């Protein structure tokens, strides 16, 4: 088999948690009179919580103390946890389960490669945990995407060389990370926004596992 493993980002690829991150950051922004736009939220996809707050404070032209930053990171996460506590399997994006099913059937290994420290909770809530042979999340990586660490650790955990891995990503930082790691990458989203992917799909309903061999 040309490829042995598929590595999936979580937010925006398997489930749509970007809406919850957006809401939670918007609520936090009230502390410093900042209204996050949809375009700005797009730039927060794939990057860590700490980096997201730094970007937001920069956009807001707000000089925060270390103490404020610490409190706000905690507060944003508490709001986010409250929002995702209601998640369930109906929030898995269209076509995902059928695609994972085909991968298993055809003997591919499956890993998660997410910057989120809450990935474990989201997988549990949506019933996705058991699909994964390895889970690499924000609790085990030290360098954020576009650094390839998260995907290289995934490949290592699966015992696969990078060249035998295909990454699925909705964020530009994630596509860049996969490429930096020497992997093939399928972008999930709009081809006008995502640059550098080997293929872009708008949803998993458009993709058959057999098409991966064309990458
Ligand atoms: C994903 C999302 C980002 C989020 C990051 C950290 O990569 O796309 O928007 O900031 O995870 O998530 P966390 O759940 O740890 O705050
Ligand atoms: Mg994502």
């Amino acid at each position: 088999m040309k490829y042995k493993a598929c590595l999936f980002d979580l937010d925006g690829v398997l489930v749509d948690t970007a809406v919850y991150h957006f809401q939670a950051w918007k609520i936090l922004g009230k502390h410093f009179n900042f209204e996050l736009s949809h375009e700005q939220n797009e730039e927060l996809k794939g990057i860590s919580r700490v980096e997201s707050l730094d970007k937001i404070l920069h956009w807001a032209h707000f000089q925060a103390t270390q103490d404020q930053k610490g409190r706000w990171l905690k507060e944003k996460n508490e709001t986010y946890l409250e929002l995702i506590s209601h998640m369930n399997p109906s929030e898995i994006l269209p076509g995902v389960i059928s695609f994972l099913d085909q991968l298993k059937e055809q003997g591919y290994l499956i890993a998660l490669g997410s910057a989120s420290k809450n990935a474990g909770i989201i997988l549990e809530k949506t019933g996705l945990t058991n699909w994964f042979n390895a889970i690499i999340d924000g609790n085990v990586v030290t360098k954020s995407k576009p650094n390839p660490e998260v995907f290289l650790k995934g490949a290592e955990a699966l015992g696969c060389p990078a060249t035998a891995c295909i990454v699925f990503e909705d964020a530009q930082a994630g596509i860049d990370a996969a490429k930096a790691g020497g992997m093939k990458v399928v972008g999930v989203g709009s081809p006008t926004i995502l640059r550098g992917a080997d293929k872009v799909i708008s949803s998993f309903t458009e993709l058959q596992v057999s098409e991966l061999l064309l990458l």
Side-chain angles (χ1 to χ4, degrees):
M1 209 153 62
K2 191 172 169 192
Y3 300 109
K4 290 192 171 61
C6 288
L7 279 61
F8 292 87
D9 172 51
L10 176 65
D11 297 316
V13 170
L14 302 175
V15 290
D16 189 12
T17 42
V19 288
Y20 302 128
H21 282 296
F22 185 54
Q23 273 175 273
W25 284 126
K26 267 178 97 115
I27 292 169
L28 189 86
K30 291 186 180 143
H31 286 301
F32 37 92
N33 250 319
F34 178 68
E35 179 87 19
L36 184 69
S37 73
H38 280 284
E39 290 71 28
Q40 286 164 331
N41 193 51
E42 194 64 33
E43 286 191 46
L44 301 180
K45 288 184 179 176
I47 66 168
S48 72
R49 198 182 310 161
V50 174
E51 287 170 319
S52 299
L53 179 61
D54 283 342
K55 262 187 190 277
I56 289 171
L57 290 170
H58 174 76
W59 290 327
H61 305 290
F62 192 93
Q63 204 73 36
T65 63
Q66 280 311 320
D67 185 57
Q68 277 173 320
K69 282 194 197 179
R71 273 189 286 119
W72 289 343
L73 285 170
K74 191 163 169 278
E75 193 179 315
K76 185 270 173 177
N77 199 47
E78 281 164 3
T79 310
Y80 182 68
L81 283 174
E82 171 57 32
L83 292 168
I84 63 169
S85 70
H86 307 288
M87 283 187 86
N88 63 62
S90 74
E91 288 175 73
I92 298 170
L93 289 167
V96 164
I97 293 291
S98 149
F99 192 76
L100 293 174
D101 234 345
Q102 289 179 50
L103 286 177
K104 281 277 179 215
E105 247 173 52
Q106 297 184 34
Y108 284 87
L109 292 168
I110 303 175
L112 189 85
S114 167
S116 174
K117 294 190 170 173
N118 297 304
I121 301 170
I122 295 165
L123 292 179
E124 282 302 328
K125 291 267 169 203
T126 53
L128 281 168
T129 313
N130 290 339
W131 288 100
F132 293 92
N133 302 102
I135 292 176
I136 311 295
D137 66 16
N139 298 297
V140 294
V141 294
T142 52
K143 302 178 201 99
S144 294
K145 300 169 186 176
N147 187 290
E149 183 188 15
V150 65
F151 296 130
L152 292 176
K153 280 200 165 155
E156 194 188 337
L158 297 176
C160 288
T163 49
C165 296
I166 303 170
V167 169
F168 294 84
E169 255 296 347
D170 71 316
Q172 190 59 47
I175 290 176
D176 297 343
K179 284 282 126 193
M183 298 172 182
K184 293 286 179 185
V185 58
V186 175
V188 183
S190 156
T192 54
I193 297 181
L194 301 175
R195 294 174 312 277
D198 296 289
K199 182 180 177 68
V200 178
I201 54 169
S202 61
S203 147
F204 280 95
T205 53
E206 285 172 17
L207 188 66
Q208 296 296 313
V209 168
S210 55
E211 293 172 68
L212 297 179
L213 298 176
L214 304 173
L215 293 175

